[in-house]
């Protein structure tokens, strides 16, 4: 009843007879898969995890049985098999695609539900598409789109990918076609060792990235014989298209500063749409963006949020499952707010679990909203539960507090029928609860 796809079988075509089925845990994560080839041979894959810390299990890889067998439909590099375990992750998407991704994300292979397959070599920015009928085409990423091209000498003895010119569109004028070509990449030189590249557009504009994870890109333009260089930096802000927003910047070591007094970046910084500066880890590509309001947000180099630092020692960590899916939040003192299944009949309400170290789990259903200073609120009807950045929680029914837990897990429960009276450690106290920024609660 979750709507998740649990398997598929090919009834015709070159992959006729292949079968795939998956098993999931209660949270929907794929734990094992069984694959049957068109020759009838069967292979099972099981996710192996280190569960010594049951609240934060660690993936170790996938065990293949029979041992040493290949995975039907996949051609995985041998260096990804270590100690009998496949290093990387298999994901079974909602549309029926099965995706494998290596730990460094440089090798990706996707079996499509329609029988086709795509293999991505991100060290070369190359994609091989194999159609359901076995036909194959290689394309290369030009920074904007996948395009056909060929490897060759791009000048000065340098080897790169030279892109084919696109066809003229129906009804497109010569001037419009020429204008479109100017802003398209002419060739790319990819350095897989450093994760860097050099791109030249048809109009002569050049982009140089020494290492993509360093988060800095140099743009060189030549107009009327005048050469100008502009540095761009990774803000860490998602662009809504699977990438991140890049803005002009100044660079000082690992620190990049955005905007200055130039608009529209100055306005975007003032509004909190992009950070005013960022520290970038050149090994991982992790971006720590510092915003005008003093808040810092940590993202990976693809713009996926990892942690929100709220000043002082308080922070909110964003949690993800083994397949990269959103799982919830962890507040400063270790209190976790974990997202479960979507509530049947609602497109906004989910089941949530409040997990406090050393305490029984608490369940609640409702819609998530975000408040000031890192507060997270789950509400349904007139009932709500707010988890603050300190880890303290407050429950309300209407305008009345019903239960309060401070950052040290002391519980205050409102006495039924006696407004302003609280039960704490078996004793009654009177007054209104007051919550400090560090999560301490006093009643008086």
């Amino acid at each position: 009843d979750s709507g998740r796809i649990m398997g598929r079988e090919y009834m015709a075509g070159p992959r006729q007879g292949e079968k795939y089925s998956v098993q999931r845990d209660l949270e929907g994560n794929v734990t094992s898969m069984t694959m049957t080839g068109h020759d009838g041979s069967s292979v099972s894959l099981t996710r192996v995890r280190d569960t010594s810390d049951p609240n934060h299990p660690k993936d170790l890889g996938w065990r293949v049985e029979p041992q040493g067998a290949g995975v039907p439909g996949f051609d995985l590099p041998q260096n990804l098999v270590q100690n009998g375990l496949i290093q990387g992750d298999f994901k079974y998407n909602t549309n029926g695609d099965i995706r494998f991704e290596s730990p460094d994300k440089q090798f990706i292979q996707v079996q499509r539900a329609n029988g086709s397959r795509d293999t991505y070599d991100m060290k070369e920015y190359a994609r091989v598409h194999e159609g359901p009928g076995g036909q194959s085409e290689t394309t290369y990423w030009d920074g904007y789109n996948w395009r056909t091209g060929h490897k060759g000498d791009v000048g000065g003895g340098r080897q790169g990918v030279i892109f084919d010119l696109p066809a003229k569109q129906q009804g497109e004028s010569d001037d419009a076609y020429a204008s479109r070509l100017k802003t398209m990449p002419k060739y790319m030189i990819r350095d897989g060792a450093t994760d860097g590249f050099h791109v030249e557009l048809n109009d002569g504009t050049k982009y140089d990235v020494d290492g993509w994870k360093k988060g800095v890109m140099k743009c060189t333009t030549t107009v009327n014989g005048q050469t100008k260089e502009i540095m761009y930096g990774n803000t860490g802000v998602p662009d809504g298209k699977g990438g991140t927003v890049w803005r002009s910047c100044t660079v000082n070591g690992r620190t990049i500063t955005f905007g200055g007094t130039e608009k529209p970046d100055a306005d975007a910084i003032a509004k909190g749409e992009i950070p005013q500066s960022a520290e970038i880890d050149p090994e991982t590509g992790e971006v720590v963006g510092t915003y005008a309001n003093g808040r810092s947000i940590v993202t990976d180099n693809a713009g996926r949020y990892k942690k929100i630092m709220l000043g002082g020692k308080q922070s909110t960590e964003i949690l993800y499952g083994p397949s990269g899916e959103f799982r919830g939040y962890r507040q400063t003192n270790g209190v976790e707010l974990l997202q479960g299944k979507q509530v049947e009949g609602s497109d906004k309400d989910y089941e949530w679990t409040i997990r406090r170290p050393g305490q029984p789990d608490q369940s609640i259903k409702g819609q998530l909203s975000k408040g000031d200073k890192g507060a997270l609120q789950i509400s349904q009807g007139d009932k709500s539960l707010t988890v603050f950045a300190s880890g303290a929680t407050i429950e309300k029914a209407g305008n009345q507090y019903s239960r309060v837990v401070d950052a040290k897990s002391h519980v205050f429960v409102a006495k039924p029928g006696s407004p302003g009276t609280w039960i704490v450690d078996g004793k009654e106290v009177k007054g209104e609860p007051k919550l400090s920024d560090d999560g301490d609660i006093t009643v008086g």
Side-chain angles (χ1 to χ4, degrees), residues 175-220:
D175 288 344
Y177 179 59
S179 178
R180 182 162 63 95
L181 291 183
K182 282 184 179 180
T183 58
M184 298 183 71
K186 178 181 179 181
Y187 69 83
M188 173 184 287
I189 301 173
R190 174 80 170 128
D191 186 345
T194 65
D195 201 22
F197 61 83
H198 169 87
V199 179
E200 182 171 335
L201 308 187
N202 287 311
D203 66 359
T205 300
K206 301 174 183 178
Y207 292 91
D208 288 282
V209 174
D210 181 34
W212 192 247
K213 289 182 179 179
K214 294 181 180 179
V216 177
M217 175 169 55
K218 181 175 71 175
C219 173
T220 305

Side-chain angles (χ1 to χ4, degrees), residues 31-226:
T31 57
S32 63
M33 293 190 291
T34 301
M35 303 179 175
T36 302
H38 55 75
D39 60 355
S41 61
S42 184
V43 170
S44 65
L45 293 109
T46 304
R47 187 190 297 273
V48 180
R49 312 180 79 182
D50 177 357
T51 57
S52 54
D53 180 352
N55 289 331
H56 306 102
K58 180 181 178 182
D59 285 332
L60 301 178
W62 293 78
R63 180 184 296 113
V64 181
E65 295 178 346
Q67 186 174 0
V71 181
F74 288 87
D75 294 322
L76 305 181
Q78 287 298 312
N79 64 348
L80 293 178
V81 181
Q82 299 176 13
N83 300 319
L85 298 178
I86 296 175
Q87 304 302 302
D89 197 17
F90 288 93
K91 300 177 183 179
Y92 203 101
N93 297 337
T94 55
N95 60 1
D97 295 345
I98 304 177
R99 176 188 178 97
F100 174 82
E101 190 173 271
S102 66
D104 61 2
K105 303 184 187 301
Q106 296 297 294
F107 176 85
I108 300 169
Q109 197 162 67
V110 184
Q111 280 196 53
R112 308 290 182 188
N114 64 2
S116 65
R117 185 174 76 172
D118 288 316
T119 303
Y120 300 84
D121 180 352
M122 299 312 295
K123 291 184 178 180
E124 297 285 344
Y125 278 10
R127 178 185 68 177
V128 178
H129 175 76
E130 300 166 86
Q135 68 276 23
S136 177
E137 180 184 54
T138 300
T139 53
Y140 302 89
W141 182 249
D142 72 354
Y144 302 94
N145 297 289
W146 292 100
R147 293 169 56 192
T148 58
H150 64 278
K151 295 182 179 181
D153 191 328
V154 298
R158 299 173 301 168
Q159 294 293 305
V161 173
I162 303 169
F163 297 104
D164 297 337
L165 293 178
K168 189 176 178 181
Q169 297 175 354
Q170 186 175 3
E172 186 176 26
S173 68
D174 291 342
D175 288 344
Y177 179 59
S179 178
R180 182 162 63 95
L181 291 183
K182 282 184 179 180
T183 58
M184 298 183 71
K186 178 181 179 181
Y187 69 83
M188 173 184 287
I189 301 173
R190 174 80 170 128
D191 186 345
T194 65
D195 201 22
F197 61 83
H198 169 87
V199 179
E200 182 171 335
L201 308 187
N202 287 311
D203 66 359
T205 300
K206 301 174 183 178
Y207 292 91
D208 288 282
V209 174
D210 181 34
W212 192 247
K213 289 182 179 179
K214 294 181 180 179
V216 177
M217 175 169 55
K218 181 175 71 175
C219 173
T220 305
T221 58
T222 302
V223 180
N224 297 326
Q226 298 295 316

Side-chain angles (χ1 to χ4, degrees), residues 234-425:
N234 185 359
T235 66
V237 176
D239 63 3
K241 302 176 183 177
T244 54
V245 175
W246 289 65
R247 286 287 189 265
S248 60
C249 67
T250 58
V251 182
N252 183 11
R254 286 172 50 173
T255 302
I256 56 180
T257 303
F258 301 102
T261 59
E262 296 182 11
K263 291 188 176 183
D265 288 350
D267 291 340
I269 290 171
K271 294 177 182 177
E273 295 172 354
I274 64 172
Q276 58 186 4
S277 64
E279 291 272 343
I280 298 180
D281 187 326
E283 298 298 324
T284 64
E286 186 174 271
V287 180
V288 182
T290 300
Y291 288 73
N293 62 2
R295 177 179 295 190
S296 295
I297 297 179
V298 183
T299 62
D300 61 19
N301 68 328
R304 190 174 72 165
Y305 290 107
K306 299 180 69 176
K307 183 181 288 188
I308 301 172
M309 294 179 289
L310 305 159
K313 297 181 179 180
Q314 294 191 356
S315 65
T316 297
E317 183 180 356
I318 293 82
L319 306 176
Y320 298 93
S323 297
E325 71 282 5
F326 170 76
R327 286 289 294 114
Y329 304 89
R330 181 183 296 123
Q331 301 290 48
T332 304
N333 69 340
V335 171
E336 295 180 345
L337 178 62
L338 304 176
Q339 180 178 276
K341 296 189 303 182
Q342 190 167 4
V343 175
E344 187 175 354
S346 173
D347 59 353
K348 296 180 180 180
D349 292 348
Y350 284 82
E351 297 178 359
W352 295 88
T353 299
I354 314 298
R355 180 167 292 163
R356 298 179 180 87
Q359 301 290 324
D361 289 350
Q362 179 183 357
S363 298
I364 187 173
K365 297 179 181 179
Q367 180 181 350
L368 174 71
S369 60
K370 300 176 184 178
D372 295 333
K373 299 181 179 179
L376 303 166
Q377 185 177 84
I378 306 296
S379 57
Q380 188 177 59
D382 67 345
K383 296 182 179 180
S384 67
L385 181 147
T386 302
V387 184
F388 294 88
S390 62
T393 61
I394 289 180
E395 295 177 48
K396 296 177 70 176
N399 294 321
Q400 300 296 319
Y401 295 113
S402 58
R403 188 172 185 266
V404 177
V405 183
D406 70 11
K408 298 176 183 177
S409 296
H410 296 134
V411 180
F412 299 70
V413 179
K415 184 178 179 180
S418 300
T421 301
W422 297 83
I423 308 298
V424 185
D425 296 329

